[in-house]
Amino acid sequence: MTVAEAVQRSKTPTFMMRSSIKTAQSLISPSEEIVWAQVSNVYQEPVRGALSAEIGSVSDSLAGVIVVTNERILFVHKMLSNYVSKDIYISDIRSIDVKASLTYEVLRIVGTSDMIVTFAKRNIIAALRNAINQEIAIKSTASSPSFHQTTDDTALQKSYIEQLQALKQLYDSGVITAEEFAAKKAQILNL
């Protein structure tokens, strides 16, 4: 799946975002699998301390595209010949927190050395958060012993169940296709 296809699937407006989408695609390595992408605003400055549901002014943020891959979360804003990009590798995520208002949510992803704070409609942020959590779960499973090697089968089975439930939510909400669902399911179950 390309960045453009993933953005189209998220049903976020692409008006004046073609350059950002094209630049984001050029930054994706061949080994990366695109899981989710959306057009969104990201605050230029890190939001430290308590997260607020109050959305700042448009001048405080950059419009661009957020891409979740199996390796990282990437934000790209491109205007004319200049572009800004931020990325946080899935393995470097330290925390994710959300604050909601009536119709919008603010999502903060804190990595080891960078932070991405974005805001969008609640359903869009929920889908973004689900995609990120799914990739975190897959990464943690990949770094843990296989199902047959573990001594604590009950805890691992619970982890698999949680991952599969999150995956099913992505499928049911139309974020991923049946083929992507089947592939991720096989990956989670080590088939």
Side-chain angles (χ1 to χ4, degrees):
M1 172 170 31
T2 67
V3 173
E5 291 167 341
V7 168
Q8 184 178 18
R9 187 174 287 162
S10 73
K11 298 179 182 159
T12 52
T14 58
F15 180 69
M16 296 186 65
M17 289 293 126
R18 286 191 183 119
S19 294
S20 295
I21 292 168
K22 187 175 179 182
T23 301
Q25 184 66 52
S26 72
L27 297 173
I28 302 294
S29 74
S31 64
E32 286 182 281
E33 178 183 327
I34 297 168
V35 176
W36 176 257
Q38 70 185 53
V39 171
S40 195
N41 289 314
V42 169
Y43 287 110
Q44 294 181 59
E45 297 297 319
V47 178
R48 308 250 183 240
L51 192 60
S52 170
E54 296 296 317
I55 298 171
S57 70
V58 175
S59 63
D60 294 340
S61 65
L62 297 172
V65 63
I66 294 178
V67 182
V68 178
T69 74
N70 60 328
E71 296 294 325
R72 63 186 166 149
I73 301 155
L74 172 68
F75 169 74
V76 175
H77 161 82
K78 181 155 194 239
M79 188 63 67
L80 301 174
S81 62
N82 298 322
Y83 80 91
V84 174
S85 71
K86 289 184 174 190
D87 64 349
I88 298 174
Y89 282 84
I90 300 293
S91 58
D92 291 341
I93 293 175
R94 298 295 170 243
S95 67
I96 299 173
D97 55 331
V98 177
K99 272 297 198 195
S101 69
L102 246 29
T103 57
Y104 283 83
E105 284 187 346
V106 179
L107 174 72
R108 174 172 51 191
I109 307 151
V110 179
T112 304
S113 60
D114 210 348
M115 178 186 308
I116 295 175
V117 182
T118 184
F119 57 92
K121 290 184 178 181
R122 293 178 92 158
N123 62 329
I124 299 297
I125 292 296
L128 173 62
R129 194 173 63 236
N130 285 341
I132 294 167
N133 286 333
Q134 179 64 35
E135 292 309 310
I136 290 170
I138 289 170
K139 283 281 185 206
S140 68
T141 300
S143 64
S144 66
S146 75
F147 183 76
H148 300 292
Q149 295 172 338
T150 185
T151 58
D152 188 4
D153 286 348
T154 306
L156 193 52
Q157 283 178 339
K158 185 177 179 182
S159 171
Y160 286 135
I161 291 168
E162 290 170 353
Q163 290 176 50
L164 291 170
Q165 287 172 336
L167 183 63
K168 181 75 166 114
Q169 284 179 333
L170 290 172
Y171 175 69
D172 290 343
S173 64
V175 173
I176 61 174
T177 65
E179 295 82 24
E180 292 165 328
F181 174 79
K184 287 287 187 183
K185 180 180 171 185
Q187 182 181 6
I188 291 169
L189 296 174
N190 292 325
L191 299 177

